[in-house]
Amino acid sequence: MMAATSGLFSDLREIKKQLLSISWLCRERGLMHSVKWASELAFSLESIPLNELPSMPALTEEDAQDLDAFTLAKSYFDLKEYDRAAYFLRGCKSQKAYFLYMYSRYLSGEKRKDDETVDSLGPLEKGQVKNEALRELRVELSKKHKARELDGFGLYLYGVVLRKLDLVKEALDVFVEATHVLPLHWGTWLELCNLITDKEMLKFLTLPDCWIKEFFLAHIYTEQQLIEEALQKYQSLIDAGFSKSTYIISQIAVAYHNIRDIDKALSIFNELRKQDPYRIENMDTFSNLLYVRGLKPELSYLAHNLCDIDKYRVETCCVIGNYYSLRSQHEKAALYFQRALKLNPRYLGAWTLMGHEYMEMKNTSAAIQAYRHAIEVNKRDYRAWYGLGQTYEILKMPFYCLYYYRRAHQLR
């Protein structure tokens, strides 16, 4: 296994060039999470001399024709004026402009959906609010797909639309196709992670043999609680030359958190904070560990620190929620988890934690609602299944209770 891995990573300079190129392509299309991932990884590798830096992708004739509209629309897109961006991209012919046009329409629908979800953030009925744009987008993208006119980014977006419409099988096929057409786009691999429910499914997928697949496998093993395998993968990535990657360090910390090796996870998180002191991602996981250990001063410090950096981030709200929960101020804690969900209704951890707070307040119906939302966001969240088991145990409904405990046990 190690030999195979080291073969994929024999030329780190080439990998760095690929990372710089893909982050450029993703930035042009507004895929900022993939830009961040590629940039963080590139940053952990040695820098490249000027004469070896990759050149910007050449413009096609169609790109040149669409340049004015694209430049204008991208400025609106970056300011989250999605409808306005889409309006000026109508009729553009280039792949890049077409992607931004469709992506703007998709994000506009998502934004509307999230706004409505937030407005009605009481006891939400299951799946009440939908992204109205999805069906139209699916029709248009499937035509392009049949005509083989979608590039790797177009395939990615088509897959996202299919997944949002719960067409899991079709989405899976499209994402796999996208990894072959454009293997370096991390967003596609992450989407695949969401759809693969167990290790068996992995065996039936034909994925490209690209170095990025190793990162994907490590990620999916972490998600599926196959922590031994995940840690082996991350160790081999560190040995291959990514020892400075904050992304890998944080993933290893999360992996140790998942197997409840609390001391190890805490020490890695503390190390990560030294290297990347303004980092907010994964800090809610760090706060879960501090909570479990009952480390009030450390949790208080973390909450204050994140509040100074950005108090309107989901993770910050969850950390503050954990802090109040540790002090047994459950109403206040629930309030912060609710605030987190107003910022991002699809944020898994907050739904589960809110369920726990409602349990503490003996509000079982609200707890059930919150846990159900968590499962809707991610069927693999064993804590939510377990929480449902507990609520039904309190309600003295043993059959329900057993069913949910069993689901939790299967996952973990």
Side-chain angles (χ1 to χ4, degrees):
M1 173 56 226
M2 247 332 273
T5 306
S6 55
L8 288 171
F9 294 99
S10 54
D11 188 353
L12 288 180
R13 218 170 231 204
E14 183 49 42
I15 288 177
K16 171 127 183 177
K17 287 185 205 170
Q18 292 175 355
L19 285 166
L20 293 172
S21 296
I22 193 71
S23 72
W24 193 269
L25 294 173
C26 289
R27 181 173 284 112
E28 285 188 305
R29 288 161 180 81
L31 296 162
M32 299 321 288
H33 288 289
S34 293
V35 174
K36 181 161 95 173
W37 186 83
S39 308
E40 282 184 351
L41 215 50
F43 181 76
S44 70
L45 297 171
E46 293 292 312
S47 46
I48 300 176
L50 177 63
N51 61 346
E52 286 187 38
L53 282 172
S55 54
M56 279 167 58
L59 290 179
T60 65
E61 189 56 49
E62 287 175 330
D63 285 334
Q65 282 169 7
D66 293 343
L67 191 63
D68 292 345
F70 182 83
T71 309
L72 178 66
K74 183 66 168 66
S75 71
Y76 296 146
F77 180 94
D78 290 341
L79 292 166
K80 297 189 164 57
E81 299 185 38
Y82 302 124
D83 292 327
R84 199 175 178 193
Y87 178 78
F88 285 97
L89 288 164
R90 300 177 338 275
C92 284
K93 296 281 185 284
S94 63
Q95 290 275 17
K96 197 163 60 177
Y98 178 73
F99 174 82
L100 197 66
Y101 169 62
M102 298 302 269
Y103 192 40
S104 300
R105 289 169 60 192
Y106 165 74
L107 287 178
S108 159
E110 285 296 286
K111 189 169 179 298
R112 263 192 208 99
K113 183 183 98 172
D114 285 353
D115 292 349
E116 278 177 48
T117 305
V118 167
D119 293 341
S120 63
L121 199 70
L124 266 180
E125 288 315 302
K126 178 179 182 310
Q128 218 177 19
V129 190
K130 294 221 166 24
N131 176 346
E132 297 299 338
L134 290 175
R135 287 205 168 76
E136 281 176 35
L137 291 173
R138 181 197 167 198
V139 171
E140 291 171 45
L141 285 163
S142 75
K143 277 183 196 152
K144 286 261 188 194
H145 185 234
K146 283 198 182 83
R148 298 201 169 282
E149 286 170 15
L150 291 178
D151 64 357
F153 291 111
L155 288 165
Y156 159 75
L157 183 58
Y158 184 32
V160 170
V161 168
L162 290 170
R163 176 177 70 76
K164 290 273 180 177
L165 288 166
D166 287 326
L167 301 165
V168 176
K169 176 75 182 73
E170 292 94 320
L172 199 65
D173 294 341
V174 172
F175 285 132
V176 170
E177 190 183 336
T179 60
H180 285 277
V181 177
L182 187 72
L184 295 174
H185 177 215
W186 181 239
T188 304
W189 293 98
L190 275 187
E191 286 291 342
L192 263 182
C193 276
N194 289 332
L195 294 180
I196 295 169
T197 44
D198 53 47
K199 209 174 169 183
E200 280 306 296
M201 264 178 90
L202 259 181
K203 290 179 189 161
F204 297 110
L205 297 182
T206 39
L207 298 167
D209 270 326
C210 172
W211 58 265
I212 201 167
K213 182 178 164 187
E214 295 301 305
F215 283 88
F216 161 73
L217 290 171
H219 185 93
I220 203 161
Y221 291 156
T222 312
E223 287 280 292
Q224 295 187 353
Q225 311 297 335
L226 303 164
I227 304 300
E228 293 282 303
E229 287 102 317
L231 289 170
Q232 269 175 340
K233 282 271 179 222
Y234 284 125
Q235 191 53 54
S236 64
L237 289 170
I238 285 173
D239 298 341
F242 290 97
S243 59
K244 293 194 179 119
S245 161
T246 48
Y247 163 76
I248 292 180
I249 296 167
S250 69
Q251 286 293 105
I252 291 173
V254 169
Y256 280 116
H257 161 269
N258 288 1
I259 47 170
R260 291 285 175 268
D261 188 338
I262 294 173
D263 295 329
K264 185 90 176 160
L266 281 172
S267 82
I268 298 172
F269 269 122
N270 283 318
E271 189 49 49
L272 183 63
R273 300 252 307 152
K274 281 186 200 131
Q275 282 189 38
D276 193 355
Y278 291 92
R279 180 191 186 90
I280 293 186
E281 308 96 292
N282 312 108
M283 288 303 122
D284 46 341
T285 307
F286 182 34
S287 77
N288 292 343
L289 294 160
L290 296 171
Y291 177 93
V292 170
R293 274 272 179 272
L295 299 168
K296 263 189 205 155
E298 288 86 341
L299 189 49
S300 166
Y301 175 75
L302 180 67
H304 282 292
N305 181 236
L306 293 184
C307 228
D308 286 344
I309 300 169
D310 185 352
K311 64 178 176 186
Y312 295 112
R313 268 284 287 271
V314 179
E315 294 91 340
T316 306
C317 296
C318 287
V319 172
I320 299 171
N322 271 338
Y323 170 67
Y324 282 123
S325 183
L326 188 58
R327 297 184 52 176
S328 300
Q329 292 175 280
H330 299 297
E331 280 89 356
K332 254 187 169 171
L335 197 72
Y336 273 94
F337 295 133
Q338 254 178 345
R339 183 181 284 182
L341 291 163
K342 284 197 168 173
L343 292 167
N344 179 0
R346 288 184 297 281
Y347 198 73
L348 173 69
W351 282 116
T352 310
L353 292 168
M354 196 155 78
H356 296 345
E357 295 312 307
Y358 283 134
M359 286 282 287
E360 294 287 346
M361 295 190 272
K362 311 254 182 303
N363 183 346
T364 40
S365 68
I368 287 171
Q369 198 108 45
Y371 289 137
R372 287 198 187 288
H373 271 291
I375 288 164
E376 246 172 80
V377 178
N378 181 356
K379 304 243 182 324
R380 287 200 301 265
D381 185 23
Y382 70 94
R383 292 166 313 173
W385 290 105
Y386 180 76
L388 279 170
Q390 281 185 305
T391 34
Y392 282 111
E393 191 174 348
I394 290 168
L395 293 170
K396 301 204 171 18
M397 297 167 81
F399 289 115
Y400 277 109
C401 159
L402 271 172
Y403 167 74
Y404 291 117
Y405 279 151
R406 237 178 239 127
R407 290 296 296 258
H409 184 249
Q410 281 164 356
L411 289 165
R412 186 73 170 259

